[in-house]
Each structure stands twice: as C-alpha cells, then as structure tokens.
Amino acid sequence: MIRAILFDLDDTLYPSNSGVMDQIRLQMMCYLCTRLHLTPEEADELRRDYFLTYGTTMRGLQINHDIDADEYLAFVHDIRLENHLQPNKELDAVLAGIRQQKVVFTNASREHAEAVLAVLGIRSHFDRVVDIRDMDYESKPVATAYGRICELLGLEPAECILVEDNVRNLEPAKKAGMVTVLVAGSAGGQNPAPDIVDHVLSRVEEIGHLLETIGAAGEQTAMRTDRTAG
C-alpha cells in the first residue's frame, strides 16, 4: 500500500523554464568565483564535475574545500522567487485531493523549500520537508539518501512514490523498491528506461490522475504506464 508521495522540489513542483534554477546556478558560479578565486570557465567546470561526482556541487565543496554549508546554502538560494513563480491553484487543488502523506524530498535547504512552497501557495498540503541537512548532506542520487528518508518517515521503500524531474535520481529509488514517477515536462529530453521509471507525467499536476489510475489509494496495482499520463 502506498502511504507517502515524495516530491522533489526544484524543476518538479514548478516548470523547469521558470528561471529559478538558472538564478541558483548563477549564484553558485558567483560563490565559486569569489570564494575559490576561479574564472567563470573554471567555476562552471568545477560545478559540473562536483555535481556529477558527489550528487551536489555543495557536497564536493564540503569534501574538497571544507566550506560552511549553511553559508553556501544561504548564498545560492538568495534569489527573488516571486520574479519567477506564482501561486498554482491547479496544483493546490490536486494536492488537496491526495490522501497519502505528502513530503518534499529535496537536495536544497529547508529555507529554500519553504519559500518555494509559500510562493506556489501549496505549503499547507505537505506534512514534512526533508532537506539536505536531514540527509546528513548525502543527497540524491546517493543510495543511502533513500534509506535515510524511509527511516525518517518510518516507512518501507515499497510504501513510497518518488516524483522527480531527473532520471538520475529515480534510478536508486527504483532499486530501493520505490515506485518512480518522472515529470517529463521538466526532464530536458531525458529518455527514461522502463526498468527505472514506472510512470511518466508531462506535468506534476497530473499526479492526482495517476494515483487514481494505479489505485494508489489502496493496494498498488502491477500496472505500468509507458506513455505520458493525461
């Protein structure tokens, strides 16, 4: 039985073309250039390398440069969200109709997550925000992060659905036993393998319809969707 829906935050609960992540990446670049005295080209290369190697740029900076994590998180998330996001009444209504526990599972900070949820007008629907600190900075897609969130929630992986915009973060979830849902509209042309992604949505607002389709209010069915729900 599905007991919890775990939602990624950035580029999942809002469209990837909103500009939010573009601004965060600019803040990352500024941090790297000023704190590590890098050129923009060097900073971008390091950012990408750490992201691919450690799951987040911040984790690479912690391990290799002993940075202050709280300072970094505050710096990179210091953006004006209201310039990019607005209340989403459709998503508000969809979330209101989901009976399972709803949790934000993010590699970002709690402060950033709370701010995003507030601007979108959907904070009241979420029972919990699990952020990078709750993961002891071992973030998605590190395998231990998925066991950690289940431990925090007191659930088995098979009792959870993970909704994500990044196939890379869904693969360990699938291996752990979670049901995996890709928000393809935010996926940037990713081509998900059927052994990694159970269901595909074009927009996160379709999650309510998907849950009805797979019977997630009760026992999960064996049904697999290999096309966009809608």
Side-chain angles (χ1 to χ4, degrees):
M1 180 180 292
I2 298 300
R3 299 185 182 278
I5 316 298
L6 314 180
F7 290 87
D8 175 52
L9 180 76
D10 291 308
D11 284 357
T12 295
L13 287 177
Y14 59 80
S16 60
N17 62 2
S18 68
V20 171
M21 285 306 300
D22 291 334
Q23 290 300 307
I24 290 175
R25 290 187 191 98
L26 286 175
Q27 289 293 98
M28 289 182 184
M29 292 286 289
C30 183
Y31 182 95
L32 293 172
C33 288
T34 56
R35 303 304 169 89
L36 301 184
H37 309 292
L38 302 177
T39 66
E41 293 75 19
E42 291 170 335
D44 191 46
E45 182 178 355
L46 188 69
R47 178 186 67 81
R48 293 173 184 273
D49 178 55
Y50 283 176
F51 175 76
L52 292 174
T53 303
Y54 300 102
T56 64
T57 301
M58 187 187 75
R59 189 59 176 155
L61 290 170
Q62 283 182 299
I63 292 172
N64 295 292
H65 304 278
D66 195 29
I67 66 159
D68 183 311
D70 288 333
E71 178 189 48
Y72 173 85
L73 289 169
F75 187 95
V76 301
H77 293 127
D78 185 18
I79 63 174
R80 296 185 65 85
L81 290 170
E82 61 272 18
N83 290 344
H84 305 279
L85 303 175
Q86 59 187 9
N88 187 334
K89 294 183 179 180
E90 181 183 359
L91 183 56
D92 178 44
V94 169
L95 293 172
I98 297 175
R99 295 193 296 273
Q100 290 90 351
Q101 181 179 183
K102 294 175 284 293
V103 178
V104 170
F105 181 23
T106 178
N107 285 352
S109 68
R110 180 181 309 279
E111 294 85 352
H112 174 64
E114 294 283 359
V116 169
L117 296 176
V119 173
L120 292 175
I122 58 175
R123 178 61 185 93
S124 63
H125 299 297
F126 287 91
D127 302 278
R128 186 166 185 173
V129 171
V130 176
D131 77 340
I132 187 71
R133 298 186 188 96
D134 294 319
M135 295 292 104
D136 293 327
Y137 303 104
E138 292 288 342
S139 60
K140 298 175 289 183
V142 177
T144 55
Y146 303 84
R148 174 65 174 161
I149 191 169
C150 289
E151 178 184 346
L152 290 171
L153 299 177
L155 298 173
E156 295 297 323
E159 296 177 308
C160 302
I161 292 177
L162 178 60
V163 183
E164 259 276 358
D165 69 291
N166 195 328
V167 173
R168 179 172 176 249
N169 292 340
L170 289 173
E171 185 171 4
K174 181 64 177 177
K175 289 180 179 178
M178 294 182 182
V179 178
T180 55
V181 177
L182 176 69
V183 181
S186 301
Q190 298 175 81
N191 185 23
D195 59 338
I196 296 173
V197 176
D198 292 311
H199 307 284
V200 179
L201 306 178
S202 61
R203 304 164 61 242
V204 70
E205 290 85 354
E206 295 169 352
I207 186 63
H209 175 70
L210 174 64
L211 294 177
E212 293 177 0
T213 301
I214 66 175
E219 292 295 327
Q220 181 200 353
T221 70
M223 173 183 174
R224 173 188 296 274
T225 57
D226 57 3
R227 59 182 175 80
T228 299

